[in-house]
Amino acid sequence: MNVQLAILAAGRSSRLGRPKQLIEWEEQTLLHRVTQTVLRIQYAETSVCLITGAYAEPVAAAVADLPVTVLFNPDWSEGMAASVRLATTYAIEQRADALLFVLTDQPHLDTPLLQEILNLYNGDANCIVVSDYDSDWGVPMLFGSAYFPELLTLTGDRGAKPLANKYADQLKKVAFPLGSVDIDTEEDWKGFAKSAFNP
């Protein structure tokens, strides 16, 4: 089974005012950290692509030392769906059996969670696995290849969640209560940094 992992890092981070992908925590960027997390997966055949956009050059440079395929999304300003379409097109070209989406701004993401998602998928082309935040759910999110055609039709700034919602009664869920912690504003970052350094 060939699983394509896609790190979505094309956004402008307009609410933060600087690229969230390049925020440094524990002497490395959030992007480098999440990329290393993804690369530690041990599961059949996997490969990693990074979708860049607004800050393409510095974002790509931040992971130049890691074995990832960098894809530039020229339509990044449309919103996350454009990155989903690009990642899906690449997954189809690579003959992937599933596509797993990951973001750069969930600092609590770890490899065991991703392993659990892949274990739940277990080669089922009709499988969708999402991360359960308790009060909500979202990424990391995996789609079996049966959904690739529909992923290519998504538009706007909501990524793949509208498609997963369409099949809400079929979703498999992995517990990730800290998945709701993400970095969208400077206040988010300050709040996370304070809790991380003063547990």
Side-chain angles (χ1 to χ4, degrees), residues 4 19 31 36 61 68-69 74 80 91-92 96 110 114 122 132 146 150 155 195 197:
Q4 181 66 55
L31 173 60
Q36 286 185 314
V68 300
T69 298
M80 195 174 291
I92 293 169
D110 59 22
L114 299 175
N122 199 30
D132 188 352
E150 288 183 86
T155 58
S195 65
F197 294 120

Side-chain angles (χ1 to χ4, degrees), residues 15 104 154 174 180 185:
R15 285 190 286 168
T104 62
L154 296 174
V174 171
S180 59
T185 66

